[in-house]
Amino acid sequence: MNSNTLSPAPTKNKKLIFWVEEVSAMTQPDQIIWCDGSQSEYNRLIHELVEQGMAIPLKRENSYLFRTDPSDVARVENRTYISSLKKEDAGPTNNWVEPEELKSTMRELYNGCMKGRTMYVIPFSMGPIGSDIAKIGVEITDSAYVVTNMHIMTRVGSKVLETLGETGEFIPCLHSVGKPLKEGESDDGKWPCAPLDKKYISHFPEERLIWSYGSGYGGNALLGKKCLALRIASSLAKEEGWMAEHMLILKLTNPSGLRKYIAAAFPSACGKTNLAMLVPTIPGWKVETVGDDIAWMKFGADGRLRAINPEAGFFGVAPGTSEDSNPNAMASIKSNTIFSNVALTADKDIWWEGMGTEPKFPLTDWHGKDWKQGSDQPAAHPNARFTAPASQCPAIASEWEDPNGVPIDAILFGGRRPNTIPLVTQARDWNHGVFMGSIVGSEITAAALDLKAGTVRRDPFAMLPFCGYNMGDYFQHWINIGKKTSADKLPKLFFVNWFRKKDGKFVWPGYGENSRVLKWIFEQCEGLGKSKDTAIGIMPTEDAIDLPKEVSAEQLKDILAVDTEGWLAELKDIRENHYPIFGDKLPSELKHELDKLEKNLKS
Ligand code: OXD
Ligand code: MN
């Protein structure tokens, strides 16, 4: 690269300037652009992407469709590494390669990988700029698609550099699509990426460094999200005594105007976005959105856990999102939205399975091919996404950007479990709740490329793919958090399951009807709920939850019953298959909770 193609750095931060120079020397881009986060920058990049045939303008205002390579449609968990100095610190649930070995493999790949491309430097803040809880990252990428998505998902730009100053710390996030261009070659409208065995999503927690290569999609490439805000942040949080969690945050207001803030950890594609934006079916109750995917929680001066949403946008799963399932999401994506791998109608609108409308033909599928009704392949990829600014959500809470965060009253854990796990259970105390979080499991969905859909996998705290260190130490961290403040100040912990099935059909209607469960949770936080103690925890009495019209009293009783046989099987699986994975790292408190559960079930 000639020195005249190096645009002057708009910062005096030496570490940043040095890193950008070092990366450009290795990757050899044609030019470097420092991103300022402005609307004109967004418009210019989108215009270029349209010109290159990568983005298709839609009839929705300022909205575009991208189609990725069929091999690059989701997170790649088996190519994701926690490269701590010691293998033990990555733990049994993460892929590990010794850091110098991994870096040397990746350096070879990075060598000249940006030839023929532009290198963008994106300064971004996770969390409101300047908030005590926020963190600054800088992503270097050779993908304009990534820049435009980062504009929506994070706070990008000059203000971040101002906050960083000359000596401020940032988390370096290096990304390349891994497809250098030869002299005169262009992408020709084809999504650039590297083959699966050359993809690496690597984290170096001691150095607080992220290196991603070969994929341009979602969490593999928008490095503020899963890589920084969960994997690196969780490891920082353990060191510093706070929490970085895969949780939505919602504000629930009762008819008298009293409010509670609830966080909820569900595995990918279990409806976090839907719950965060829920429209209650019970009169007088209101849900507002603070975040739909990630919560960073720190103790405030009052000893309560306060949470911020570190993101600025939603990267939501499109299929299944409809006016019925999530009208607020549908309103959020009316304009200024990037769609990836959805289907395209002839009048340049989008469509996907479960959108609640009939497709308009001719319809073009996510491969760009004509799609006919009755095809055995979906028109939209099951992990097709929308990227939309959070500020466009009609249900966004006024305090969603409060730098001090919101005080969390309750935390829910849950997953897709067709049997055994009841609709709702409250933990008796913090450690019992940590036990519930540690045994979360869910039927697998399409959010990750390399897993078999349909089977149940344990996903403790919904953090299995996102915990940046040893999961046994992570359990201990949760136990320790419970000792940092008095029990009355800690959030109350609950286990929920909207996904019980009978004869292959969901028993509970979910969506807006989940407000009935939230109401009970609210009442429990106030100490006013109707509840009883059971072998598995505190549960609603039979008359505590109002019936939705689709559910009979008998059915509700069934999904609120303690299924002793099912729980004994669950217990056996935890004892024999799940907990042994963590060896000596499994906190004694969790072994104790398991013994207690067994005793309760057998007595
Ligand atoms: C996501 C995920 O994209 O969890 O949020 O996979
Ligand atoms: Mn997620």
Side-chain angles (χ1 to χ4, degrees):
M1 193 186 62
N2 303 318
S3 55
N4 61 2
T5 56
L6 202 139
S7 69
T11 175
K12 292 206 168 73
N13 189 294
K14 287 210 181 64
K15 180 181 159 193
L16 177 53
I17 294 170
F18 178 76
W19 179 59
V20 169
E21 283 173 359
E22 188 188 41
V23 170
S24 76
M26 174 167 72
T27 58
Q28 299 163 40
D30 278 7
Q31 59 167 342
I32 300 176
I33 292 182
W34 288 77
C35 299
D36 62 13
S38 64
Q39 186 63 42
S40 58
E41 173 174 272
Y42 184 90
N43 296 347
R44 179 173 46 77
L45 290 175
I46 281 284
H47 177 75
E48 285 171 19
L49 287 160
V50 171
E51 294 278 289
Q52 291 160 18
M54 301 295 293
I56 301 171
L58 297 168
K59 77 181 212 194
R60 291 170 190 241
E61 189 192 337
N62 192 28
S63 298
Y64 299 88
L65 166 64
F66 288 81
R67 296 190 187 119
T68 72
D69 188 89
S71 71
D72 202 24
V73 290
R75 289 183 290 99
V76 279
E77 293 185 8
N78 62 358
R79 307 294 308 166
T80 298
Y81 297 87
I82 300 299
S83 185
S84 42
L85 295 173
K86 290 197 261 162
K87 182 166 195 232
E88 185 197 345
D89 291 336
T93 58
N94 284 312
N95 299 311
W96 179 84
V97 174
E98 192 279 318
E100 273 321 308
E101 184 188 332
L102 184 55
K103 280 189 177 167
S104 124
T105 307
M106 290 188 74
R107 271 196 206 102
E108 270 185 41
L109 295 167
Y110 279 135
N111 226 329
C113 73
M114 294 192 189
K115 275 189 185 154
R117 297 190 184 277
T118 298
M119 176 172 127
Y120 302 94
V121 184
I122 318 170
F124 64 95
S125 176
M126 296 310 289
I129 298 174
S131 159
D132 266 5
I133 315 183
K135 296 271 177 228
I136 291 180
V138 180
E139 177 158 353
I140 291 181
T141 180
D142 52 7
S143 161
Y145 168 84
V146 165
V147 182
T148 53
N149 275 268
M150 287 292 283
H151 264 238
I152 298 173
M153 294 304 297
T154 72
R155 293 146 176 105
V156 173
S158 316
K159 256 179 104 180
V160 178
L161 289 182
E162 269 165 44
T163 309
L164 190 60
E166 288 191 26
T167 52
E169 286 298 317
F170 65 93
I171 297 167
C173 310
L174 171 55
H175 171 252
S176 170
V177 294
K179 182 96 181 43
L181 294 167
K182 296 192 191 75
E183 189 79 36
E185 192 191 4
S186 80
D187 287 320
D188 210 14
K190 257 191 88 211
W191 179 264
C193 63
L196 188 62
D197 65 341
K198 295 278 186 297
K199 292 190 209 294
Y200 287 90
I201 320 299
S202 305
H203 308 74
F204 303 92
E206 287 93 353
E207 278 181 81
R208 296 172 190 173
L209 173 68
I210 299 162
W211 278 12
S212 164
Y213 183 91
S215 165
Y217 197 69
N220 300 332
L222 313 178
L223 301 185
K225 193 174 180 62
K226 303 301 186 182
C227 298
L228 192 162
L230 287 176
R231 298 194 189 98
I232 293 294
S234 63
S235 121
L236 266 171
K238 184 189 82 156
E239 260 171 55
E240 297 172 358
W242 54 284
M243 308 175 91
E245 300 296 332
H246 190 204
M247 289 181 186
L248 66 90
I249 311 163
L250 64 82
K251 172 182 168 188
L252 178 64
T253 307
N254 79 356
S256 334
L258 264 183
R259 63 176 75 132
K260 302 278 174 225
Y261 294 96
I262 299 178
F266 304 150
S268 305
C270 282
K272 281 205 299 299
T273 305
N274 293 343
L275 185 64
M277 297 179 190
L278 172 146
V279 181
T281 48
I282 36 177
W285 289 75
K286 191 155 130 193
V287 166
E288 289 160 276
T289 315
V290 177
D292 80 327
D293 195 41
I294 299 175
W296 284 357
M297 298 185 281
K298 268 191 184 163
F299 285 105
D302 59 359
R304 298 193 62 195
L305 268 180
R306 303 191 73 96
I308 62 160
N309 167 14
E311 301 191 278
F314 307 123
F315 184 63
V317 177
T321 308
S322 69
E323 289 296 343
D324 274 345
S325 69
N326 194 338
N328 285 315
M330 294 304 276
S332 308
I333 60 174
K334 284 205 167 120
S335 58
N336 307 313
T337 299
I338 293 173
F339 295 92
S340 303
N341 289 338
V342 303
L344 177 69
T345 63
D347 63 346
K348 295 273 185 276
D349 205 3
I350 39 105
W351 188 84
W352 49 72
E353 282 72 17
M355 198 182 195
T357 51
E358 286 304 313
K360 285 191 212 147
F361 292 100
L363 189 76
T364 309
D365 71 8
W366 69 278
H367 294 284
K369 302 239 163 65
D370 187 45
W371 188 84
K372 296 268 183 287
Q373 194 96 54
S375 160
D376 58 356
Q377 295 298 315
H381 186 276
N383 194 38
R385 300 279 179 146
F386 52 80
T387 318
S391 57
Q392 290 187 181
C393 178
I396 201 78
S398 54
E399 58 275 61
W400 83 279
E401 297 196 276
D402 185 339
N404 299 314
V406 295
I408 296 298
D409 297 287
I411 297 177
L412 322 185
F413 304 113
R416 292 175 183 267
R417 294 297 306 268
N419 46 45
T420 310
I421 311 295
L423 182 62
V424 58
T425 317
Q426 183 184 347
R428 281 182 213 99
D429 53 30
W430 184 263
N431 285 356
H432 182 212
V434 176
F435 168 75
M436 287 175 170
S438 76
I439 63 166
V440 163
S442 192
E443 280 189 304
I444 286 163
T445 63
L449 193 63
D450 37 10
L451 301 168
K452 200 167 155 27
T455 51
V456 171
R457 76 161 171 174
R458 296 265 169 217
D459 187 348
F461 297 84
M463 282 289 278
L464 186 70
F466 307 123
C467 183
Y469 60 100
N470 190 310
M471 183 70 87
D473 290 332
Y474 169 86
F475 293 166
Q476 189 63 55
H477 181 55
W478 264 85
I479 300 276
N480 296 347
I481 286 284
K483 296 182 187 143
K484 280 185 182 283
T485 194
S486 57
D488 60 317
K489 294 196 168 132
L490 284 167
K492 304 216 172 334
L493 306 180
F494 296 82
F495 208 177
V496 298
N497 179 21
W498 324 130
F499 299 96
R500 281 288 289 268
K501 282 187 182 162
K502 184 94 189 222
D503 304 325
K505 289 209 189 91
F506 290 113
V507 179
W508 183 254
Y511 304 112
E513 300 293 8
N514 292 338
S515 56
R516 295 173 197 276
V517 178
L518 293 185
K519 175 171 174 274
W520 183 74
I521 289 169
F522 186 111
E523 290 162 354
Q524 286 298 99
C525 292
E526 287 284 289
L528 298 172
K530 291 187 189 169
S531 61
K532 59 183 183 198
D533 212 353
T534 75
I536 59 170
I538 303 164
M539 296 183 72
T541 54
E542 275 166 31
D543 58 344
I545 294 180
D546 302 335
L547 285 175
K549 63 178 182 314
E550 300 88 336
V551 181
S552 69
E554 209 45 45
Q555 284 173 314
L556 183 65
K557 197 169 155 197
D558 197 36
I559 57 174
L560 281 177
V562 178
D563 168 7
T564 306
E565 285 304 300
W567 271 101
L568 285 171
E570 188 80 7
L571 199 131
K572 186 169 183 301
D573 181 52
I574 297 163
R575 211 184 269 297
E576 290 177 6
N577 304 316
H578 180 46
Y579 273 0
I581 295 171
F582 308 102
D584 294 350
K585 294 274 188 187
L586 185 76
S588 56
E589 288 87 344
L590 295 186
K591 280 185 231 153
H592 179 66
E593 288 298 328
L594 191 61
D595 293 343
K596 213 157 62 181
L597 174 64
E598 180 156 20
K599 200 166 135 238
N600 288 349
L601 287 166
K602 289 185 172 165
S603 66

